Amino acid sequence: MNTITWGACNRAKQGQSISGDAWTVAILNGNGILAAVVDGLGGGEEAARAARLAETVFRERAERPLQELIRVAHEALHTTRGAVAGLLRLDPHQSSASYIGVGNIGIYVYSRKPIKPISKNGILGYRLPTLLELTYTYDPGDLFVLYSDGVSSQFAQDLHLDIRQSPQALAEQIVHTYGKHSDDATVVVVQT
């Protein structure tokens, strides 16, 4: 069984001191990890409040099923401006990856296998879509990149991006090179 490593980078949009994005990586009871990226709607303190609330739900209940986590966060965010989120659970014993996303959170997987998870339109706290949980088998060494809409998906086509560097260095490089200054930018990179 390979060890899972990860890195994350979050940057507020230009001119702001607070990011409306949040992220978490929770180590599960000897059975992998849960990684999440959350983007509060809009920007500033109210967006940050919504994102932090969803992130707290995900972190504190990380062992629970993904669909339950989304539903609990949806209920918790009714009094906020709402957020979008992507959740990735990796189980190294089964080499399985499960993903569920609501709204415009992106995920890209560097793998020889056709792993192409998608998020469904919706907003936690306002309009929950019919949840779609996708599960894949991954290979050791595969790389999962979750990112907020403040990051251009063009990084996935960058042949000069060194995906062999540490997950932390890769997360920082993607935000530095592909983060939009007009929006909060968050990347979580998980290597199996």
Side-chain angles (χ1 to χ4, degrees):
M1 182 181 78
N2 279 11
T3 303
I4 294 174
T5 57
W6 59 273
C9 185
N10 175 304
R11 181 183 77 199
K13 72 178 173 181
Q14 203 162 25
Q16 292 285 324
S17 58
I18 189 164
S19 173
D21 290 356
W23 62 272
T24 191
V25 175
I27 308 302
L28 306 178
N29 291 330
N31 206 20
I33 67 157
L34 174 76
V37 170
V38 185
D39 184 348
L41 270 73
E45 187 58 48
E46 287 304 305
R49 187 171 77 83
R52 283 193 306 263
L53 186 55
E55 180 272 326
T56 299
V57 166
F58 300 148
R59 182 173 27 84
E60 290 179 351
R61 300 171 188 238
E63 302 283 343
R64 305 299 303 157
L66 295 184
Q67 292 198 21
E68 180 182 322
L69 291 174
I70 291 289
R71 286 189 183 99
V72 171
H74 176 64
E75 290 295 318
L77 268 60
H78 278 320
T79 60
T80 71
R81 64 170 52 170
V84 296
L87 296 175
L88 172 69
R89 175 170 282 138
L90 297 178
D91 178 347
H93 299 295
Q94 305 293 322
S95 293
S96 75
S98 297
Y99 179 80
I100 192 167
V102 174
N104 56 355
I105 296 295
I107 179 167
Y108 184 78
V109 185
Y110 292 94
S111 175
R112 290 187 307 275
K113 295 187 174 191
I115 303 175
K116 302 199 182 309
I118 58 168
S119 297
K120 291 193 70 176
N121 287 333
I123 300 169
L124 296 179
Y126 287 93
R127 188 174 46 83
L128 199 60
T130 302
L131 298 178
L132 176 65
E133 182 173 339
L134 300 164
T135 302
Y136 304 88
T137 301
Y138 65 80
D139 289 327
D142 282 357
L143 205 59
F144 294 80
V145 181
L146 282 89
Y147 57 99
S148 67
D149 70 341
V151 176
S152 167
S153 62
Q154 292 301 308
F155 74 84
Q157 281 75 48
D158 185 345
L159 300 178
H160 300 292
L161 192 62
D162 181 6
I163 62 171
R164 294 166 303 181
Q165 64 188 313
S166 75
Q168 182 62 42
L170 182 57
E172 291 172 7
Q173 183 180 1
I174 291 171
V175 168
H176 176 76
T177 308
Y178 292 96
K180 303 170 187 172
H181 292 288
S182 59
D183 199 356
D184 303 316
T186 302
V187 171
V188 174
V189 175
V190 181
Q191 176 142 38
T192 61

